[in-house]
């Protein structure tokens, strides 16, 4: 019987197609019900899925990816002055690069380096950096600096709990560093080595993932240099970044905001305290207006937000689902991942945040004196283009940056979108339009839906901020084992004003069904008119502007508008998201999971005891949020990871007990014990409203 043969990459021997399938099989099977599209367990090289599915073309599909140079030195070079179990120190000449994967603290010991557009100098930091395999790998590049010909940096271990979320999610699994067993940093006391790995080439990864470096295009750099070189006496730049999906808008905005944020550091000559503890210079700040609800930078999906950013952003969005170095000034929810559901409400929210930027000020800076970077979503065709043009007329940006995507990325050619954009702009606005090439296409191991899941899961597992430096930490307990908040929705001590549904018409009788297991926006509302409470929406009395209706079967208050429009942005603010884990119509309570602090929620509820006209109340907003199916699978994935990690995998799974460097070892916080079940967690639940 003839068998197709493959060469073993180590000794040149022949492999059968069956052996090739086994070699390329993912290291961990998915739980039943999970598809690889929704959450791959490993970053497969291009063509691997086709190889397994189509054995007739095995040899053609096994062509290796081109080898890419990452770091410009080898680990045995004299420039490497320290390579320990938990740290790595290297000297970089101008132009030399260091690329690492994983999580680490970056210390600048001498000179200056550049990372993701940020200029980091001696006397600043340390900086927290997260580099997963799901995104392009940025390089730490040595810079010329007065008084130091060679820059010196040190990378040290970082543990904040984020990597351990891979225990409960295939999307977050095997995306960090793994030390090879032969590494000098690997020993029995620190399984898996340090929290990061130094990569010399794209083949240096023990997990053989498809990695690629982040290369800043020359046209990008030229325009960024022009923007950041604006004289301090000139009006601050207002930059709008737009373009089709997948063109690199988020990457461009992240790099640009970092460059604007650190441009004043060139005048610093004396060492200062850690950037996490020092008072930021008022000029070392930038406003970031995030208008992309599908892939936001500093918030969970479904929100539009305005941030005052005071520190460089050196991690992908899911590593900071809330702003870390800076302040959230205001946010709105459209209860959807796309503005298509209600473009009018989306535009009104965007304009409201823009006006808040113009009136906001810090202690040292007057309103509108700091740069503003605006991240626009990839909806640029049809009604999306009309929405973009209307916003530009209101914002009057100094720079409109359009990243031209691939013609095959959308049904309509981006060239057509550019012409539509030009036609909608005035002559003066056209002079501010810059057409730049899109980011270099790369093989992505996660779909946009996967990235939203990762960001949402990261958000709901936030454990707060560390007491040492105030940075984010995560809780790796499955959500069904966490103690929920108990929210009374009826009675004199209720914790919410009501529930409002965006984009859909849901009958009151069905509210328990759509609420149970749903993600909702937590919105603080200051009604300008009194709310009339009636028991049935069929009241013969003409409804006021806002009407509260209830159904006798459950008494959940339903807030309705006479115009069927969402809450007005001028009198509302979204403070985060919540997950309705369950509800009890007997006790008239909701069991809620949210990272919003108890003190914030309690303060809002307490403020509702004021006058009817001025009171603040909480409204839970339902809409087009994606159902959190991942939440119900966390425990199953956790059990499977634990079982396989202890050698309980299938026969022939020789490599499935290898540690992947995500902190999933026996000496971890939970000690390998089964998380508490929901029945025990509910017994120690807190109350949303202290009675």
């Amino acid at each position: 019987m003839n068998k197709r043969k493959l060469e073993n990459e180590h000794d040149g021997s022949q492999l059968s197609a069956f052996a090739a399938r086994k070699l390329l099989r993912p290291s961990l099977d998915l739980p039943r019900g999970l598809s690889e599209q929704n959450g791959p367990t490993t970053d497969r090289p291009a063509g691997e899925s086709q190889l397994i599915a189509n054995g007739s073309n095995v040899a053609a599909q096994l062509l290796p990816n081109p080898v890419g140079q990452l770091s410009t030195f080898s680990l045995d070079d004299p420039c490497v002055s320290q390579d320990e179990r938990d740290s790595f120190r290297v000297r970089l000449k101008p132009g030399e690069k260091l690329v690492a994967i994983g999580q680490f603290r970056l210390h600048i010991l001498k000179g200056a380096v550049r990372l993701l557009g940020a200029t980091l100098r001696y006397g600043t930091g340390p900086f927290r950096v997260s580099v997963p395999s799901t995104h392009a790998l940025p390089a730490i590049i040595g810079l010329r600096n007065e008084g130091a010909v060679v820059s010196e940096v040190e990378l040290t271990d970082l543990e904040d709990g984020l990597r351990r979320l891979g225990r409960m999610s295939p999307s977050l699994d095997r995306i960090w560093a793994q030390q090879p067993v032969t590494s000098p940093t690997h020993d029995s006391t620190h399984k898996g080595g340090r929290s990061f790995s130094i990569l010399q080439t794209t083949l240096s990864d023990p997990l053989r993932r498809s990695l690629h470096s982040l290369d800043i295009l020359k046209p990008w750099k030229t325009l960024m240099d022009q923007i950041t070189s604006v004289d301090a006496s000139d009006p601050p730049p207002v930059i709008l970044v737009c373009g089709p999906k997948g063109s690199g808008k988020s990457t461009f905005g992240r790099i640009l905001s970092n460059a604007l944020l650190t441009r004043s550091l060139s005048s610093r000559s004396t060492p200062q305290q850690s950037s996490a503890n020092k008072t930021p210079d008022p000029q070392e700040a930038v406003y970031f207006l995030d208008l992309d609800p599908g892939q936001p930078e500093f918030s969970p999906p479904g929100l539009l937000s305005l941030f005052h950013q005071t520190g460089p952003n050196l991690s992908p969005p899911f590593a900071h689902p809330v702003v870390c170095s800076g302040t959230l000034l205001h946010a709105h929810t459209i209860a959807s991942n796309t503005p298509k559901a209600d473009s009018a409400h989306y535009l009104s929210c965007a304009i409201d945040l823009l006006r808040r930027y113009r009136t906001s000020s810090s202690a040292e800076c007057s309103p509108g004196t700091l740069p503003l970077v605006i991240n626009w979503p990839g909806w640029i065709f049809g009604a999306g283009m009309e929405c973009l043009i209307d916003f530009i007329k209101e914002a009057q940006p100094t720079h409109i940056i359009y990243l031209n995507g691939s013609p095959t990325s959308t049904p309509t050619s981006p060239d057509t979108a550019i012409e539509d954009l030009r036609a909608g702009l005035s002559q003066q606005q056209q002079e501010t339009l810059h057409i730049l090439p899109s980011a270099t296409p790369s093989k992505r191991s996660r779909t946009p839906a996967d990235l939203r899941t990762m960001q949402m899961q990261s958000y709901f597992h936030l454990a707060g901020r560390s007491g040492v430096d105030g940075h984010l930490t995560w809780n790796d307990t499955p959500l069904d084992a966490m103690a929920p908040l108990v929210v009374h929705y009826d009675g004199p001590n209720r914790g919410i004003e009501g529930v409002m549904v965006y984009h859909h018409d849901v009958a009151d009788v069905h509210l328990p069904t759509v609420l149970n297991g749903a993600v909702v926006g937590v919105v603080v509302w200051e009604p300008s008119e009194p709310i009339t409470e009636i028991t049935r929406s069929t009241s013969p009395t003409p409804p006021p502007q806002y009407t509260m209706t209830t159904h006798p079967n459950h008494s959940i208050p339903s807030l309705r508008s006479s115009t069927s429009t969402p809450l007005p942005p001028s009198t509302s603010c979204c403070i985060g998201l919540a997950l309705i884990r369950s509800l009890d119509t007997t006790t008239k309570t909701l069991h809620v999971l949210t990272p919003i602090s108890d003190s914030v929620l309690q303060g809002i509820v307490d403020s509702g005891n004021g006058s009817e006209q001025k009171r603040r109340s909480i409204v839970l907003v339902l809409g087009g949020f994606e159902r959190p199916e991942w939440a119900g699978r966390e425990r199953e994935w956790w059990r499977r990871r634990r079982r396989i990690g202890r050698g309980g995998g299938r026969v022939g799974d020789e490599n499935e007990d290898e540690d992947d460097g995500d902190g999933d070892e026996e000496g971890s916080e939970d000690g390998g014990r089964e998380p508490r079940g929901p029945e025990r967690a509910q017994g120690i639940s807190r109350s949303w409203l202290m009675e």
Side-chain angles (χ1 to χ4, degrees), residues 675-689:
R676 288 194 302 266
E679 65 284 353
R680 294 185 59 187
Q682 291 177 9
I684 58 173
S685 60
R686 298 109 62 207
S687 176
W688 185 308
L689 179 61

Side-chain angles (χ1 to χ4, degrees), residues 201-396:
T201 70
T202 53
L203 296 182
S204 303
D205 178 31
L207 294 179
R208 296 182 298 178
R209 293 167 289 193
S210 180
L211 305 177
H212 57 280
S213 61
L214 175 62
D215 299 320
I216 302 179
L217 303 178
K218 187 175 180 180
W220 288 22
K221 187 177 184 305
T222 301
L223 182 57
M224 289 182 187
D225 290 342
Q226 294 176 5
I227 296 174
T228 55
S229 62
V230 174
D231 191 88
S233 60
D234 295 334
V238 175
I239 307 103
L240 172 68
V241 184
C242 58
K245 297 178 181 179
S247 57
K249 300 182 299 297
S250 298
T251 301
F252 186 95
R254 188 179 308 128
I255 295 172
L256 177 59
S257 62
N258 285 339
L260 288 167
L261 187 66
T262 59
R263 60 178 175 172
S264 63
L265 295 180
S266 59
S267 61
R268 179 176 298 165
S269 58
T270 58
Q272 298 190 15
Q273 297 177 346
S274 167
S275 62
N277 301 320
K278 73 182 185 67
T279 301
D281 187 316
Q283 297 303 319
E284 295 172 24
V286 63
Y287 285 95
F288 192 90
L289 180 51
D290 198 344
L291 301 180
D292 187 351
Q295 293 182 332
E297 186 65 43
F298 296 111
S299 70
L303 270 65
L304 312 180
S305 312
L306 175 64
F307 302 94
H308 182 240
Q309 186 180 345
T310 57
N313 177 12
L314 306 177
S315 301
F318 76 88
H320 46 74
V322 297
V323 66
C324 186
S325 298
T327 305
L328 169 63
L329 300 179
H330 207 84
H332 297 299
T333 181
I334 62 171
S336 176
N337 297 326
T338 172
K340 295 179 181 180
D342 191 342
S343 59
H345 180 236
Y346 170 82
L347 184 59
S348 63
C349 290
I351 293 177
D352 178 78
L353 294 175
L354 177 66
R355 292 171 178 170
R356 293 179 187 274
Y357 155 74
R358 291 171 175 167
T359 58
S360 62
S361 63
S362 62
E364 297 85 2
C365 297
S366 57
T369 58
L370 291 177
L372 173 66
V373 178
I374 306 171
N375 181 35
W376 191 263
W379 184 43
I380 58 169
F381 303 109
M385 178 58 68
E386 296 176 3
C387 194
L388 172 59
I389 293 174
D390 289 342
F391 181 80
I392 290 176
K393 293 177 180 178
E394 179 70 27
Q396 293 296 315

